[in-house]
Amino acid sequence: MIDHKVKVTFNRSALIGRELEYIQAAVLSGQIAGDQSFSRKCEKLLENTIACSRALVTTSCTHALEMSALLLDIRAGDEVIVPAFTFVSTPNAFVLRGAKPVFCDVRADTLNMNETKLEALITRRTKAIVPVHYAGVGCEMDTILEIANRHGIPVVEDNAHGLFGKYKGRWLGTIGALATQSFHETKNITCGEGGALIVNDGQYRQRAEILREKGTNRARFFRGEVDKYSWVDQGSSYVMSDVLAAFLFGQLEQWNLVQEKRRSVWQRYDSQLQDWSRTRGINRPFVPEHCEQAWHMYYLVLPTAADRDRFIAHLADHRIKAVFHYLPLHLSEFAAQWGGGIGDCPVTESVSDRLVRLPFYTSLTEEDQDLVIRKVIEFELG
Ligand SMILES: *Cc1c(COP(=O)(O)O)cnc(C)c1O
């Protein structure tokens, strides 16, 4: 929703390429249900660009996570390790199947799952590890995979922020057995609401298609591999309408342009806020040498929660919308049933209180960004 009292919004979606033309083509083709030509184009583009064995577009990243939980046969009593600093869908998709989320604290530098805390959380009930590449900066995947493989536990990358980022030269989303993407309005590439499941481990490929199509082998039927389709497994309706896929394809085929533009916004913030932040003990995002980030967001971590709240209010006074981010999941009302408490994930608790995200979107103009930067630099700590 655009607030007209706001001069610079936090996020705003915009046309990047041929989205409207493609929507019209989809509608005029007479076939706008799921798994039609634009969905296939999106999937092929993803498969060819990030070199994954199968991409399936879905109704959301949340649903791709739910498909992951079904594919991994998550059941009541199982445990799933997730970062404490993430969106609710990361654990919720597994909780829906009866699993207990086990919260791992994050690293103070990247705000990603702290791989040095991971192994101590593994029990014989652990059935999945779900790292999130926060702000599109890769988690320490070598260590996470080494631990996961040693215990025989599959890894699902929640790559909602990280599409087109890399870790040690490997595309984010192609490293775990499964990965999930989001095309929600707030993400780099969008169709309003949408997502994708990336299947890297071939053993899940065929069942993923079936789960997405209400438990039927309709995908094989469409390809002419079977002469009728029938009910072969459990499943649900996770296919994306081709109207949305048409919009999505218009954005995806411009992915280089989107990433270039976002890189320039990110680097402008970072270079212009460098001196101001350094002299005040304000932290800027940290990107390890071996990570090529996905340019998803720009955030600052202020010294105290009070500073952060005053900072947001200061920008609001100048009609600039800056926002905080995830609240610690282990301290949420819903997580009380698993007995978490204050102090369990100290970095998450501390950062959550002090982090603020600056306006960041592909069509952000230099003029608007300059205003944000000017007003940020005016702010004095209390
Ligand atoms: C946005 C987001 C999701 C959910 O994506 P939807 O497509 O809205 O379901 C899940 N995980 C993370 C880390 C996200 O940022």
Side-chain angles (χ1 to χ4, degrees):
M1 202 174 68
I2 294 170
D3 180 347
H4 291 284
K5 291 196 292 290
V6 170
K7 167 97 175 67
V8 188
T9 60
F10 170 67
N11 179 65
R12 169 180 196 112
S13 66
L15 293 172
I16 304 293
R18 299 166 71 180
E19 295 94 326
L20 297 181
E21 184 189 324
Y22 290 159
I23 285 183
Q24 187 171 29
V27 174
L28 294 177
S29 80
Q31 296 186 306
I32 53 171
D35 209 8
Q36 302 297 323
S37 72
F38 280 105
S39 297
R40 305 246 175 86
K41 281 183 202 285
C42 290
E43 292 171 355
K44 281 278 161 293
L45 188 147
L46 286 169
E47 287 161 8
N48 294 336
T49 309
I50 65 171
C52 61
S53 93
R54 187 75 168 102
L56 293 164
V57 291
T58 59
T59 29
S60 66
C61 178
T62 303
H63 280 165
L65 286 161
E66 288 180 21
M67 287 177 68
S68 305
L70 286 165
L71 285 167
L72 299 181
D73 227 354
I74 302 297
R75 289 158 192 268
D78 291 345
E79 293 176 2
V80 173
I81 302 176
V82 299
F85 191 62
T86 183
F87 189 59
V88 290
S89 293
T90 317
N92 236 347
F94 298 86
V95 169
L96 264 181
R97 308 252 63 84
K100 170 187 165 186
V102 173
F103 297 105
C104 184
D105 204 2
V106 296
R107 296 170 57 110
D109 54 3
T110 56
L111 313 187
N112 279 331
M113 173 182 271
N114 187 336
E115 71 284 356
T116 68
K117 308 264 180 213
L118 177 60
E119 193 151 21
L121 300 175
I122 293 177
T123 72
R124 59 188 174 75
R125 294 203 164 103
T126 310
K127 292 291 155 49
I129 298 170
V130 193
V132 176
H133 305 301
Y134 186 72
V137 176
C139 296
E140 286 309 317
M141 293 308 289
D142 278 351
T143 308
I144 292 172
L145 277 189
E146 188 274 314
I147 295 167
N149 290 341
R150 196 150 33 75
H151 291 269
I153 301 167
V155 170
V156 180
E157 298 171 74
D158 179 341
N159 196 32
H161 302 180
L163 185 58
F164 305 124
K166 287 183 177 175
Y167 167 80
K168 296 190 179 174
R170 300 166 71 186
W171 295 99
L172 299 180
T174 65
I175 303 167
L178 299 165
T180 64
Q181 301 298 152
S182 176
F183 302 117
H184 181 263
E185 178 183 67
T186 51
K187 304 305 189 321
N188 292 24
I189 302 280
T190 178
C191 61
E193 299 275 358
L197 178 71
I198 308 292
V199 182
N200 298 310
D201 182 336
Q203 68 169 303
Y204 301 115
R205 212 179 136 128
Q206 190 169 331
R207 190 155 183 250
E209 290 183 347
I210 291 167
L211 294 177
R212 186 178 67 159
E213 270 288 13
K214 302 98 183 165
T216 73
N217 55 358
R218 182 144 108 187
R220 296 192 68 196
F221 174 72
F222 279 164
R223 288 197 295 267
E225 294 167 12
V226 288
D227 59 8
K228 52 185 173 308
Y229 75 86
S230 58
W231 186 16
V232 295
D233 200 338
Q234 59 184 334
S236 190
S237 184
Y238 298 127
V239 284
M240 174 188 279
S241 158
D242 232 46
V243 177
L244 285 177
F247 190 97
L248 181 61
F249 187 65
Q251 297 236 323
L252 268 178
E253 65 174 8
Q254 298 294 339
W255 74 269
N256 259 310
L257 184 77
V258 170
Q259 295 302 89
E260 253 322 285
K261 176 71 179 112
R262 299 180 74 99
R263 179 175 68 83
S264 116
V265 171
W266 198 97
Q267 289 181 334
R268 230 150 155 265
Y269 273 137
D270 204 55
S271 61
Q272 299 202 30
L273 297 178
Q274 190 171 322
D275 292 341
W276 171 82
S277 60
R278 204 181 271 148
T279 50
R280 287 163 178 79
I282 292 167
N283 289 337
R284 292 174 294 122
F286 172 72
V287 184
E289 285 284 328
H290 54 271
C291 290
E292 290 169 48
Q293 63 153 313
W295 318 109
H296 175 59
M297 76 169 79
Y298 197 85
Y299 66 83
L300 297 168
V301 181
L302 280 88
T304 69
D307 291 326
R308 192 272 309 266
D309 294 346
R310 279 182 49 246
F311 180 82
I312 291 175
H314 163 77
L315 292 181
D317 284 345
H318 296 282
R319 301 194 299 150
I320 295 164
K321 183 90 176 157
V323 295
F324 56 89
H325 210 188
Y326 307 127
L327 300 176
L329 283 181
H330 63 294
L331 301 180
S332 63
E333 185 184 324
F334 192 63
Q337 63 188 295
W338 298 293
I342 292 173
D344 288 356
C345 298
V347 177
T348 299
E349 291 161 28
S350 159
V351 161
S352 169
D353 269 352
R354 299 183 291 121
L355 184 142
V356 56
R357 294 174 291 159
L358 298 182
F360 195 109
Y361 46 92
T362 309
S363 60
L364 181 62
T365 63
E366 289 198 354
E367 187 192 349
D368 281 351
Q369 191 181 12
D370 284 342
L371 176 69
V372 176
I373 291 168
R374 268 202 316 279
K375 295 301 164 190
V376 166
I377 288 173
E378 267 178 29
F379 179 76
E380 283 302 340
L381 297 172

